[in-house]
Amino acid sequence: MDNATTSRLLENLKNSDPQVRDQATHELWESWFWQKGLSGLKRLQRSQDLLDAGKLEAAKSILNDLIERQPDFAEAWNRRAVLHYTQKNFDQARQDCEAVLNLVPFHFGALHGMGLCYASLGKYREAIHAFKAALDVQPHALINQKLLLECSTKL
């Protein structure tokens, strides 16, 4: 995706029209999943199928291989962060979110995930910072607004 398209989609995330925001959200997710073409997408889907089936090590193996072979594949890092989070490996998940954000600083999924990890670790100030960063990108995301308030009450 070129810079002009990315800039347009990021602006559309802030639009007052929910349909415009939803379309921009969908297009950004699609671009992240398709970053490495059909082959990369199929491997991400296979890892998700394995995760859904409870075959966590097999799912992690696919993601580890993707990351090793294509370290610039942000969504492979993000999917592995999700896997770590589901296993309650919050620090590993946070580290993978950081890797995503080094590649795609506006990845609202990784910003949200970072906030979840920090909140799960009881690091509420850091969680608040992450949720605020996610809201800078996607200001109408109610879940991040809610989680920001919840973390603020825990300080």
Side-chain angles (χ1 to χ4, degrees), residues 4-19:
T5 301
T6 300
S7 294
R8 177 184 55 79
L9 292 173
L10 291 172
E11 278 305 308
N12 286 350
L13 292 176
K14 299 172 181 165
N15 195 293
S16 61
D17 183 339
Q19 289 181 321

Side-chain angles (χ1 to χ4, degrees), residues 78-79 81-86 88-95 97 101 108-132 134 143-148 150-151 154:
N78 193 51
R79 294 290 95 202
V82 170
L83 188 146
H84 284 311
Y85 185 84
T86 63
K88 301 191 183 325
N89 296 327
F90 303 122
D91 199 51
Q92 288 175 303
R94 182 194 53 76
Q95 289 173 28
C97 287
L101 295 169
F108 49 80
L111 289 164
H112 171 79
M114 182 84 75
L116 290 175
C117 291
Y118 279 129
S120 296
L121 292 166
K123 296 181 177 183
Y124 299 111
R125 288 188 199 289
E126 292 89 341
I128 289 167
H129 178 75
F131 291 131
K132 282 182 178 178
I143 187 65
N144 290 325
Q145 294 173 16
K146 177 181 178 257
L147 292 167
L148 176 65
E150 286 177 12
C151 289
K154 294 185 180 186

Side-chain angles (χ1 to χ4, degrees), residues 8-9 11 30 35 47 55 82 87 115 130 142 150 155:
R8 177 184 55 79
L9 292 173
E11 278 305 308
E30 190 171 85
Q35 179 191 353
S47 71
K55 298 178 179 179
V82 170
Q87 293 180 298
L142 295 177
E150 286 177 12
L155 287 179

